[in-house]
Amino acid sequence: MFHATTILAYKGKNKAVIGGDGQVSFGNTVLKGNATKIRTLYQGKILAGFAGSTADAFNLFDMFEAHLEACKGDLLKSVIAFSKEWRKDKYLRRLEAMMIVLNKEKIFILSGNGDVVEPEDGEIASIGSGGNFAISAARALAKHSNLDEEELVKESLMIAGELCIYTNQNIKILKLED
C-alpha cells in the first residue's frame, strides 16, 4: 500500500496557493523525500495537486489538462467533464487517488468515484495522508493569524509534517497572484 503526500490549497483574497510535501512511502519505508505532486496548468491559470501514486498523477494531470484545453480554461466545466471520464475508466476509477484543482475564483476536490466537491468555506481544501492535520492547522491559522496565503499553506503543511508519519517537511508551493 502506497501512502503519499499531503496537499493543501487555499484561495485567499490576494492569492490562490497550493502546496505539497515531498514524501512517498511504501509500507514503513520512505521511498522518496522530494517528490513533486503539484503543478501549474492551462497557461499558468490553474493550480493542481495530487495524492496517490506518482505514475497515476501524470496520467490524471494530462487527462485533466486536455479537458481544460477543450473547455477553454473554464474550471467548472473542466472538472465535471474530467470527473465523468475518470469515473467511467475501469482502470482509473480503481485508483485510490484524489486531486485538488483551483484558480483565483474556485477550488474543487476530485476523486475517481466521480466526486466534485467544492469546500464548504470555498477557501481551504486538503487531501492525502496528512490532509486532516493540514486543514485543521490552516483553518486555525486563517482565523487567528495575519499570515498571507503562501505562509499559511507552508506553516500548515509543516505542522502536518510534524504529526503525520507519511508527510515530511520538504514543502513545495505554487501560487496565482493578481
Side-chain angles (χ1 to χ4, degrees):
M1 172 75 149
F2 275 90
H3 292 280
T5 218
T6 298
I7 303 293
L8 177 68
Y10 180 45
K11 186 183 66 59
K13 290 178 179 72
N14 303 310
K15 298 178 199 171
V17 180
I18 194 165
D21 80 305
Q23 185 166 309
V24 177
S25 308
F26 185 75
N28 61 358
T29 304
V30 175
L31 291 179
K32 186 172 182 170
N34 65 345
T36 301
K37 292 196 177 183
I38 57 174
R39 238 186 215 187
T40 303
L41 303 173
Y42 193 73
Q43 304 166 5
K45 297 177 183 176
I46 306 289
L47 301 176
F50 180 90
S53 158
T54 306
D56 298 329
F58 292 119
N59 289 331
L60 291 171
F61 280 143
D62 289 346
M63 239 172 78
F64 183 66
E65 191 149 36
H67 286 287
L68 281 168
E69 292 293 333
C71 295
K72 296 179 174 60
D74 185 312
L75 187 58
L76 180 59
K77 287 181 182 178
S78 299
V79 297
I80 291 169
F82 172 73
S83 292
K84 287 178 185 177
E85 183 179 353
W86 189 358
R87 182 177 170 81
K88 288 178 184 176
D89 187 292
K90 289 180 183 180
Y91 169 73
L92 293 176
R93 74 174 173 227
R94 291 192 179 114
L95 298 177
E96 290 187 20
M98 296 183 83
M99 289 178 67
I100 293 178
V101 295
L102 71 152
N103 60 16
K104 293 178 191 171
E105 293 80 38
K106 296 280 186 185
I107 183 170
F108 297 101
I109 299 171
L110 312 173
S111 80
N113 295 327
D115 299 319
V116 176
V117 178
E118 188 171 9
E120 190 170 309
D121 64 9
E123 293 180 350
I124 305 172
S126 66
I127 56 174
S129 303
N132 287 337
F133 300 115
I135 200 166
S136 296
R139 286 180 178 162
L141 289 171
K143 190 173 184 178
H144 300 289
S145 78
N146 293 320
L147 295 175
D148 77 3
E149 294 89 344
E150 193 173 347
E151 293 169 326
L152 184 140
V153 168
K154 184 174 182 179
E155 288 302 316
S156 299
L157 287 167
M158 294 294 282
I159 291 168
E162 292 174 2
L163 300 171
C164 177
I165 63 171
Y166 300 112
T167 302
N168 68 16
Q169 294 181 325
N170 185 353
I171 308 301
K172 293 184 172 93
I173 304 279
L174 294 172
K175 61 187 171 187
L176 301 174
E177 296 184 77
D178 291 332

